[in-house]
């Protein structure tokens, strides 16, 4: 009887231990992914597709789960969490990456890219690999590049055709010295401000304008109080689908291949969805009566940026060749 009870106890302990190991195994397979965007956004749909395909192809050895709406923290926090392995993967914009990976500051230089196709060619090639190498040194493995559209100027006063049209306008910018310098180089009054305050400020005249892409211009309802949208396309800042290096290094060669292939597929999907969404947003604002104008002479704007570039290169001489190589890519 004693032996029977002992065996039962031992079997129970073994079963509990097995369940614990199984539980830990399942838990270890789940990857937590950070995303600032809401569900249904092009990036969000692409990330969900990535997660689904990776789980399917690895037979659930990896089970990525995407947490939308920045519920796991803002981007600076999420960058740190991914670098130290607390988060497993993320979709990061390169704008706020500068304080950690200085090479990415280059991507915030205005009029660096001539258009979205130019950005794709640069980031999908050898130059993109150089940015990826710099990110990896800081604990982030960039597997593919998403886009975040082209940011253009909009305002309540007039169509912007030349740099002189910006003179005196109070323009909201993101809180970044490069963006402030950009507007000041055009003789405008740069006003860093919380995004949530822009609509009211445009309504009251605290601001004359701001700058953003079509989906943001439309979804923020700024088009209701800004009659002019001018296609300056001054900022085209790529984003990455990044994996924590610590997580990447744990993967087998087989799983690395799967994750990388699905990250590239996700980027292709995101770009398609972004293009479709931008067209839809443009139609919405056009139908609402917003005047949209092409900017024929972007070189005139680029020339105004030369002092900004000179100062940036003086402070970062080691990055001059990176800038030149991007500009020379055709």
């Amino acid at each position: 009887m004693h032996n029977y009870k002992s065996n039962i106890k031992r079997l129970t302990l073994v079963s509990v231990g097995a369940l614990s190991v199984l539980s830990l195994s399942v838990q270890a397979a789940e990857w937590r992914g950070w995303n600032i965007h809401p569900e249904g956004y092009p990036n969000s749909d692409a990330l969900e597709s990535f997660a689904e395909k990776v789980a399917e192809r690895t037979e659930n050895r990896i089970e990525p789960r995407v947490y939308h709406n920045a519920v796991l923290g803002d981007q600076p926090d999420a960058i740190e969490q991914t670098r130290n392995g607390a988060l497993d993967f993320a979709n990061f914009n390169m704008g706020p990456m500068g304080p950690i990976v200085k090479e990415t500051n280059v991507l915030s230089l205005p009029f660096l890219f001539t258009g979205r196709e130019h950005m794709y060619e640069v980031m999908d090639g050898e130059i993109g690999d150089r940015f990826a190498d710099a990110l990896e040194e800081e604990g982030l493995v960039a597997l593919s590049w998403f886009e975040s559209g082209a940011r253009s100027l909009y305002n309540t006063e007039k169509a912007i055709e030349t740099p002189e049209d910006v003179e005196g306008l109070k323009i909201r910018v993101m809180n970044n010295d490069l963006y402030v310098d950009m507007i000041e180089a055009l003789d405008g009054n740069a006003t860093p401000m919380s995004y949530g305050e822009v609509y009211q400020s445009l309504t009251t005249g605290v601001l004359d304008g701001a700058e953003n892409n079509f989906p943001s211009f439309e979804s923020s309802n700024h088009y209701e109080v800004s009659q002019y949208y001018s296609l300056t396309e001054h900022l085209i800042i790529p984003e990455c689908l990044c994996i924590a290096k610590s997580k990447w290094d744990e993967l087998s060669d087989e799983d690395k291949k799967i994750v990388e292939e699905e990250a590239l597929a996700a980027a292709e999907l995101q770009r398609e969805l972004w293009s479709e969404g931008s067209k839809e947003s443009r139609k919405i604002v056009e139908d609402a009566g917003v005047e949209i104008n092409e900017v024929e002479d972007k070189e005139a704007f680029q020339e105004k940026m030369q002092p900004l570039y000179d100062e940036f290169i003086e402070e970062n001489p080691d990055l001059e060749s990176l800038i030149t190589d991007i500009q020379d890519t055709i």
Side-chain angles (χ1 to χ4, degrees):
M1 184 66 72
H2 174 74
N3 288 340
Y4 174 77
K5 287 182 177 179
S6 296
N7 287 338
I8 290 293
K9 183 177 181 181
R10 186 164 58 252
L11 285 170
T12 301
L13 289 172
V14 168
S15 298
V16 170
L19 286 170
S20 298
V21 169
L22 180 61
S23 174
L24 287 171
S25 175
V26 171
Q27 188 177 15
E30 182 178 298
W31 281 15
R32 296 200 311 154
W34 182 87
N35 176 33
I36 197 171
H37 304 290
E39 292 185 48
Y41 200 80
N43 303 48
S44 306
D45 287 347
L47 289 169
E48 289 289 358
S49 176
F50 167 77
E52 180 182 340
K53 296 291 180 56
V54 167
E56 178 184 325
R57 290 185 61 191
T58 62
E59 299 177 334
N60 294 321
R61 290 189 300 275
I62 305 170
E63 295 180 331
R65 179 181 174 188
V66 187
Y67 292 82
H68 303 290
N69 282 312
V71 296
L72 300 180
D74 60 16
Q75 176 153 318
D77 289 339
I79 291 171
E80 288 304 321
Q81 288 186 67
T82 309
R83 291 177 68 204
N84 64 34
L87 291 175
D88 301 302
F89 68 104
N91 166 209
F92 290 135
N93 185 280
M94 291 297 100
M97 191 68 73
I100 295 164
V101 183
K102 76 169 188 174
E103 288 85 350
T104 61
N105 284 316
V106 168
L107 298 170
S108 285
L109 287 167
F111 299 101
L112 177 70
F113 297 111
T114 58
R116 291 162 57 211
E117 295 299 328
H118 181 209
M119 185 272 284
Y120 296 159
E121 186 171 356
V122 167
M123 299 308 294
D124 291 343
E126 179 271 334
I127 296 174
D129 291 341
R130 284 153 68 179
F131 284 109
D133 290 343
L135 285 161
E136 187 164 355
E137 287 181 11
E138 299 299 334
L140 299 168
V141 177
L143 296 181
S144 65
W145 303 102
F146 286 12
E147 76 157 293
S148 60
R151 298 176 75 96
S152 291
L153 290 167
Y154 54 90
N155 75 97
T156 61
E157 301 293 320
K158 58 188 173 182
I160 292 171
E161 303 277 4
T162 68
E164 289 70 31
D165 292 327
V166 181
E167 183 176 353
L169 293 180
K170 301 184 291 291
I171 304 292
R172 181 265 177 182
V173 294
M174 295 180 286
N175 190 16
N176 181 311
D177 288 344
L178 280 172
Y179 309 149
V180 171
D181 292 345
M182 173 186 70
I183 296 300
E184 291 183 349
L186 299 172
D187 295 320
N189 297 320
T191 308
M193 181 186 291
S194 168
Y195 191 56
E197 298 175 15
V198 175
Y199 185 98
Q200 182 66 19
S201 296
L202 288 167
T203 303
T204 59
V206 170
L207 290 175
D208 297 313
E211 49 85 51
N212 220 315
N213 52 54
F214 271 120
S216 296
F217 181 54
E218 179 257 314
S219 62
S220 64
N221 295 321
H222 291 177
Y223 71 94
E224 296 176 350
V225 288
S226 296
Q227 292 76 45
Y228 302 95
Y229 189 100
S230 303
L231 291 163
T232 51
E233 297 186 324
H234 50 270
L235 286 174
I236 300 175
I237 306 176
E239 305 192 350
C240 74
L241 200 174
C242 287
I243 310 289
K245 189 175 189 305
S246 57
K247 186 63 62 176
W248 178 253
D249 290 343
E250 293 174 0
L251 296 178
S252 65
D253 289 343
E254 177 188 0
D255 285 349
K256 281 181 179 177
K257 185 172 185 292
I258 290 170
V259 170
E260 186 169 24
E261 287 176 351
E262 293 307 329
L264 291 169
E268 187 174 343
L269 174 61
Q270 189 269 346
R271 294 176 188 183
E272 290 174 4
L273 293 173
W274 185 274
S275 181
E276 292 169 7
S278 292
K279 289 174 184 174
E280 291 173 6
S281 292
R282 176 170 180 161
K283 185 175 188 310
I284 289 170
V285 303
E286 277 185 308
D287 289 347
V290 173
E291 182 181 315
I292 299 171
N293 68 287
E294 297 284 345
V295 176
E296 300 297 336
D297 186 10
K298 289 183 182 175
E299 288 186 10
F301 287 84
Q302 291 172 314
E303 289 172 6
K304 288 281 189 177
M305 298 300 117
Q306 195 55 52
L308 189 155
Y309 274 74
D310 292 342
E311 182 178 351
F312 183 88
I313 291 168
E314 184 178 347
E315 294 174 357
N316 304 276
D318 54 322
L319 299 181
E320 182 174 11
S321 62
L322 190 55
I323 296 169
T324 303
D325 289 347
I326 289 172
Q327 292 173 329
D328 289 346
T329 299
I330 300 173

